[in-house]
Amino acid sequence: MPMFSLGTWKAKAGLTGAAVELAIKTGYRNIDTANDYNNEAEIGVALKKVMDEKIVKRDELFIQSKLWNSNHRPEHVEADLDQTLKDLQLDYVDMYMIHWPQAAPATGKQASTRVDGAIADHHSKNPMFPLDDEGYYCADVESHYIETWQKMEELVDKGKVKSIGLSNFNKTQIEEVVAIAKKPVDLLQNESHVYLQQKDLIDQCNFRNIVFQSFSSLGSGDTNYASYASPTGTIPLRDAHINALAEKYGKGPGQIMLRWGIQRGISVVSKTTTPKRVVSNFDIWDWELSEEDMKSFDQLNCGWRHLLWGEVSHHPDYPFKDELPYGYVLEKCSNFAPGQGKTD
């Protein structure tokens, strides 16, 4: 598995395909996608183009996607994957993850994919982010990720996916899956950056022979979903220490953080559709941070998670209950296209 991936979460329509094409021409071989991002069809066009032009062969690419929360019921899992394969114009994906442990937003009544609406809307319309009559996310509380995982294993046997993994799971949930898994848990993708370094989780993954992969590797910039400001009073890209290192090495702050991730020995996902940054983010292989400077990142590990998504915390499998503020009261949906960026 190529350890550096182009992310497509919150990548805008009309820009995503060009970013994927440029990334592959630049040398990227891992592309991270998901049905709920509402851009897999555009990515599929770009993938077909670069393969038709013989820039890359299919077996040289590592395409990873994710099962959405509304499709955790075993009878709905394959429909989710089939839509992804159709959109990506592929016969298989190299990695397929359970996107979140909780079946919320979800009703459990029928499969819901991009073509049904990668938006939040009333459950009667069967969107991927179903809402109840009062505007709260629906939760399929009778669905549990163990049954979901077992269905995912069948997809490996069918050849539709090469490997399977998890995303946004906590340590206890990972152990529960590992205990029953007949196919290996090959990947864990969780938020991780200089303010949320996930050292214990990485140690757990190393012990279980699971590749740890960071998303929001730069802290998600100004498009972060944080409800609460970072304890540092800023975001990682503007952090004074990161910018001092950038000046020292003659690199951008993003390059410093991406290089730090790679030198930690983890897999790194970084999203951008800006052509200049698609290229510069990949310029991290012919230089390295000193041992002293790598150690200096320890001072930044303040535990700030931007993607808490408390609006789905009423599901029993929600993974970050211990990080919600004391007295947290469930909120109604406020972002009606969460996979595509902030909306008004």
Side-chain angles (χ1 to χ4, degrees):
M1 184 187 89
M3 297 302 281
F4 190 80
S5 177
L6 178 74
T8 59
W9 178 37
K10 298 183 289 184
K12 299 297 185 183
L15 301 175
T16 307
V20 169
E21 182 180 349
L22 176 59
I24 291 171
K25 290 178 177 178
T26 301
Y28 292 70
R29 291 297 179 263
N30 186 330
I31 308 296
D32 179 70
T33 78
N35 195 320
D36 67 291
Y37 300 168
N38 202 30
N39 54 20
E40 285 188 328
E42 187 174 338
I43 293 168
V45 172
L47 293 177
K48 185 177 187 302
K49 184 173 186 288
V50 295
M51 287 189 281
D52 285 349
E53 293 176 357
K54 302 189 185 308
I55 294 167
V56 68
K57 298 177 182 178
R58 173 65 186 94
D59 60 8
E60 295 173 325
L61 292 173
F62 191 93
I63 308 300
Q64 51 186 59
S65 192
K66 309 172 191 77
L67 172 78
W68 185 237
N69 307 12
S70 58
N71 299 320
H72 276 206
R73 297 255 176 166
E75 61 268 28
H76 301 153
V77 170
E78 196 162 2
D80 185 293
L81 174 62
D82 285 346
Q83 185 63 53
T84 282
L85 292 176
K86 181 179 179 181
D87 285 347
L88 293 176
Q89 303 186 48
L90 299 175
D91 296 324
Y92 68 90
V93 290
D94 299 273
M95 164 57 62
Y96 197 50
M97 293 166 260
I98 302 178
H99 205 151
W100 286 82
Q102 80 282 344
T107 64
K109 295 179 180 179
Q110 56 185 316
S112 174
T113 67
R114 176 191 63 79
V115 295
D116 300 300
I119 57 172
D121 204 345
H122 191 266
H123 65 86
S124 62
K125 300 179 182 179
N126 194 38
M128 296 182 75
F129 297 79
L131 303 175
D132 66 17
D133 293 342
E134 297 180 352
Y136 294 96
Y137 282 125
C138 297
D140 181 11
V141 297
E142 296 180 3
S143 180
H144 186 55
Y145 49 80
I146 290 299
E147 291 75 24
T148 309
W149 177 265
Q150 291 168 332
K151 183 63 179 182
M152 298 267 284
E153 292 180 323
E154 295 180 17
L155 302 178
V156 179
D157 292 330
K158 288 186 174 184
K160 290 186 173 183
V161 303
K162 297 295 186 183
S163 58
I164 48 180
L166 308 171
S167 179
N168 294 302
F169 278 57
N170 64 36
K171 292 175 65 176
T172 301
Q173 293 169 332
I174 295 165
E175 289 301 308
E176 186 178 0
V177 175
V178 167
I180 60 89
K182 295 179 180 178
K183 306 288 185 186
V185 180
D186 284 321
L187 183 71
L188 174 70
Q189 186 190 96
N190 273 35
E191 179 181 346
S192 183
H193 41 75
V194 297
Y195 286 179
L196 185 69
Q197 296 183 16
Q198 302 277 27
K199 295 180 181 182
D200 284 350
L201 206 53
I202 292 171
D203 284 345
Q204 180 189 20
C205 285
N206 289 338
F207 179 76
R208 291 299 185 187
N209 199 29
I210 299 169
V211 174
F212 181 89
Q213 185 178 73
S214 64
F215 75 79
S216 292
S217 304
L218 304 181
S220 210
D222 287 318
T223 66
N224 71 77
Y225 282 169
S227 299
Y228 311 98
S230 139
T232 68
T234 189
I235 58 175
L237 280 167
R238 298 197 191 103
D239 186 271
H241 182 66
I242 296 299
N243 280 272
L245 288 174
E247 184 175 355
K248 174 181 176 179
Y249 285 89
K251 303 292 182 181
Q255 291 173 304
I256 293 294
M257 290 187 282
L258 296 174
R259 180 65 209 181
W260 168 76
I262 291 296
Q263 277 188 230
R264 297 176 83 198
I266 67 171
S267 176
V268 175
V269 176
S270 184
K271 170 261 170 182
T272 183
T273 55
T274 304
K276 181 179 179 180
R277 286 199 289 271
V278 170
V279 175
S280 66
N281 283 355
F282 201 68
D283 183 19
I284 56 174
W285 305 108
D286 60 353
W287 57 280
E288 63 180 29
L289 298 164
S290 71
E291 183 177 346
E292 179 181 4
D293 286 335
M294 284 293 292
K295 181 66 176 174
S296 74
F297 283 81
D298 290 351
Q299 67 186 289
L300 303 178
N301 191 21
C302 59
W304 178 69
R305 184 189 300 277
H306 87 87
L307 187 59
L308 263 179
W309 206 15
E311 296 95 324
V312 293
S313 60
H314 53 313
H315 194 285
D317 293 333
Y318 173 76
F320 309 130
K321 291 182 186 294
D322 61 344
E323 296 183 39
L324 293 172
Y326 177 76
Y328 175 79
V329 177
L330 187 68
E331 301 164 273
K332 294 182 180 181
C333 169
S334 60
N335 183 348
F336 291 85
Q340 302 164 58
K342 291 183 176 179
T343 58
D344 296 328

